[in-house]
Amino acid sequence: MVNASTQAVYGTSPPPWTETDPPAPVNAYSASKFAQEVTVENLASIAPSPANRFATHRLLVGPAPTMRVAPDEPVHVLARNALAGKDLVLPFEGQQMLDLLDVRDAAAAITHLIGSPVDHWPRVMNLTAGRQVTLLEVAELVCEQLRSHPANPGGQHRIVLQRGKTGSPRNFGMSNALIERTLGWSPRFTLPDTVRDVISALASARS
């Protein structure tokens, strides 16, 4: 059994998180996911059952023109706005830290896990890109990729840095050292690859 959990079980401690960090769920969603992990662990006496902690759904990105576009899916939102000729407005001056994993890499990692010897399966394993980038870096990548893309509506894309009105940005990031070390897996798609493919998918949907 392969159980997809969430980075939210790590709570609000500063990232990057590793599998040895203690769970500290802070809301009903993360608590329910941790309870799910415990249930899977109890089943381990029947069959090996790792509980895989993925980056949250909003940090899984990929080239799908029909993927839900919401404020917490930065690559799609920024690419969509840039294609429409809109300013790229970044809260907290673009300093939020993200860890964006291409969904194609996530699928490949699960396939790799299933095909590996069961006795190599860790009990808990982060599945993530293992690289933190700022929201500003993502916006700059979108602008860079559009400069050489046929769908570029022309002109420069303006990045607007907006101060946060209250509080501070929630940052994300998990270590993928365990899966690299134990299973020899690492992401194949770079963030520029993903951004380029997202732009192409959105542009195709517009044409």
Side-chain angles (χ1 to χ4, degrees), residues 15-196:
W17 301 293
T18 68
E19 291 87 351
T20 57
D21 289 335
V26 294
N27 54 34
Y29 170 74
S30 55
S32 67
K33 281 293 190 178
F34 180 59
Q36 183 175 299
E37 287 188 19
V38 173
T39 301
V40 171
E41 185 176 2
N42 289 337
L43 292 172
S45 58
I46 302 173
S49 307
N52 296 317
R53 286 181 188 150
F54 296 87
T56 52
H57 65 279
R58 59 179 172 269
L59 301 184
L60 281 174
V61 295
T66 58
M67 184 173 287
R68 185 183 77 252
V69 177
D72 55 3
E73 291 180 346
V75 175
H76 281 77
V77 171
L78 293 173
R80 182 192 64 174
N81 288 345
L83 284 167
K86 297 180 180 179
D87 290 344
L88 306 187
V89 180
L90 310 182
F92 297 104
E93 299 182 325
Q95 294 309 300
Q96 181 181 21
M97 300 296 296
L98 305 169
D99 188 347
L100 302 168
L101 177 66
D102 194 295
V103 69
R104 294 168 291 184
D105 278 325
I110 295 171
T111 302
H112 184 79
L113 173 68
I114 293 172
S116 66
V118 173
D119 57 357
H120 290 179
W121 289 16
R123 186 185 63 81
V124 173
M125 182 185 70
N126 289 339
L127 180 52
T128 178
R131 58 173 183 263
Q132 285 185 296
V133 294
T134 65
L135 183 60
L136 175 58
E137 289 176 296
V138 176
E140 290 173 340
L141 263 177
V142 168
C143 294
E144 177 186 334
Q145 293 288 342
L146 266 176
R147 277 196 291 271
S148 59
H149 197 281
N152 190 355
Q156 296 293 316
H157 303 284
R158 193 166 73 112
I159 295 176
V160 178
L161 302 181
Q162 191 176 68
R163 289 187 178 182
K165 295 180 180 178
T166 59
S168 58
R170 176 78 195 280
N171 294 326
F172 301 90
M174 299 192 299
S175 168
N176 64 358
L178 179 62
I179 187 172
E180 287 191 350
R181 185 174 65 251
T182 60
L183 299 180
W185 179 89
S186 59
R188 181 168 69 91
F189 292 92
T190 66
L191 187 55
D193 292 336
T194 302
V195 170
R196 182 192 63 243

